[in-house]
Amino acid sequence: MADTPQEARYYDKLPDKQVVCRLCPNHCRIQTGRSGLCKVRQNVNGRLIARSYGQVTSLALDPIEKKPLACFHPGSMILSLGSWGCNLHCRFCQNWQIAQQEAPSRPMSPQEIVSQARSYADQGNLGVAYTYNEPLIGFEFLLDCARLVKAEHMMNVVVTNGYIETEPLEEILPLIDAMNIDLKGWQQSFYDELCGGDVDRVKDTIARAARQCHVEVTTLLIPGKNDDERDIAAIAGWLAAINPDIPLHLTRHHPDYKMLQPGPIDPDRLHKLADLAGRLLKNVFLGNLMV
């Protein structure tokens, strides 16, 4: 890896060496020496730097179903990598150790990532999945890797919260074969209380991505917070209006990070909500039934 800091894309320079990041809808206004809410995009003397470029916290060959992608080359494997940081701040974050703080990492170049992905071809590897933390905040690294992956005729998978501006999303989508996008809840009040962000921007990402690549959607269900039957029906109906073939994953959360209550949703209720969603969607899957 080069020692030269990687300049970020999608930002505006302001007077007094301030910058405004335009990668995601947070539009963080960042003073020199400080970072945005995602923690990885830092103002260094009036330049926005992608601090996490090439910093890998996790690297594993996973089943594609673990992403989760249930209807995209089932039975295949995919090299999965993560870095650190996130542009949302979910109080129930399931992987907060790398998403909500800087975590130990090792440097890897896009060329090293692709070489490793290629080496697993005989084990059924499809390509590279960008996952574990929020990959789109590391846009520059994702873009560089994705271009090399496609040049090797392999596939790119992105597992994301979907909170990104339209321009960078449209730039990256032609390189992406599949996405799993979190729709954390149907109500804006859920995002306001527990996550940050704008649910309509996430919905826009889902709709745009579904026009260009394979998309599956995940909703992590928290009892009393986002598991209202009317909301699940609304999510299913909205997805069905885009394409009834879009798979929906309804997943049990486990208490963690800053939200140790309530406990996981009752499995019987989870099945009931899945049946409700299944009236409108062709593919509804349950996740984390063992938590």
Side-chain angles (χ1 to χ4, degrees), residues 270-289:
L270 187 63
H271 280 281
K272 179 180 179 180
L273 295 174
D275 290 343
L276 178 64
R279 298 172 191 171
L280 298 167
L281 294 170
K282 296 180 181 178
N283 297 293
V284 179
F285 300 94
L286 305 183
N288 289 353
L289 281 173

Side-chain angles (χ1 to χ4, degrees), residues 115-179:
S115 177
Q116 191 150 348
R118 191 169 52 239
S119 73
Y120 288 124
D122 60 351
Q123 297 183 44
N125 182 38
L126 291 176
V128 178
Y130 313 89
T131 180
Y132 302 137
N133 74 312
E134 173 48 52
L136 290 175
I137 61 170
F139 182 85
E140 297 76 15
F141 188 65
L142 196 165
L143 184 65
D144 288 347
C145 288
R147 286 171 171 163
L148 292 179
V149 167
K150 296 308 289 184
E152 292 291 334
H153 307 290
M154 294 186 294
M155 295 183 178
N156 289 299
V157 168
V158 175
V159 182
T160 176
N161 62 30
Y163 204 53
I164 185 172
E165 281 289 4
T166 300
E167 187 176 354
L169 175 65
E170 293 289 354
E171 181 179 7
I172 199 72
L173 274 176
L175 298 169
I176 304 306
D177 298 282
M179 299 181 81

Side-chain angles (χ1 to χ4, degrees), residues 1 10 22 25 35 51 85 91 96 99 104 113 119 130 132 138 158 166 208 211-212 221 238 241 253 269 272 279-280:
M1 294 291 295
Y10 295 105
R22 302 290 184 188
S35 298
R51 289 184 61 214
R91 295 184 60 81
W96 62 269
I113 296 294
S119 73
Y130 313 89
Y132 302 137
V158 175
T166 300
R208 288 177 183 275
R211 293 196 290 266
Q212 297 197 47
L221 293 177
W238 178 76
H253 95 299
R269 176 157 176 76
K272 179 180 179 180
R279 298 172 191 171
L280 298 167

Side-chain angles (χ1 to χ4, degrees), residues 220-285:
L220 188 77
L221 293 177
I222 302 174
K225 297 296 184 179
N226 63 347
D227 67 332
D228 187 280
E229 293 179 13
R230 292 166 296 183
D231 289 350
I232 301 307
I235 289 172
W238 178 76
L239 289 173
I242 298 172
N243 185 340
D245 291 326
I246 294 176
L248 174 63
H249 298 259
L250 298 177
T251 303
R252 296 177 86 205
H253 95 299
H254 64 267
D256 211 335
Y257 193 41
K258 297 181 178 180
M259 193 170 175
L260 302 182
Q261 294 291 334
I265 191 169
D266 182 81
D268 289 340
R269 176 157 176 76
L270 187 63
H271 280 281
K272 179 180 179 180
L273 295 174
D275 290 343
L276 178 64
R279 298 172 191 171
L280 298 167
L281 294 170
K282 296 180 181 178
N283 297 293
V284 179
F285 300 94

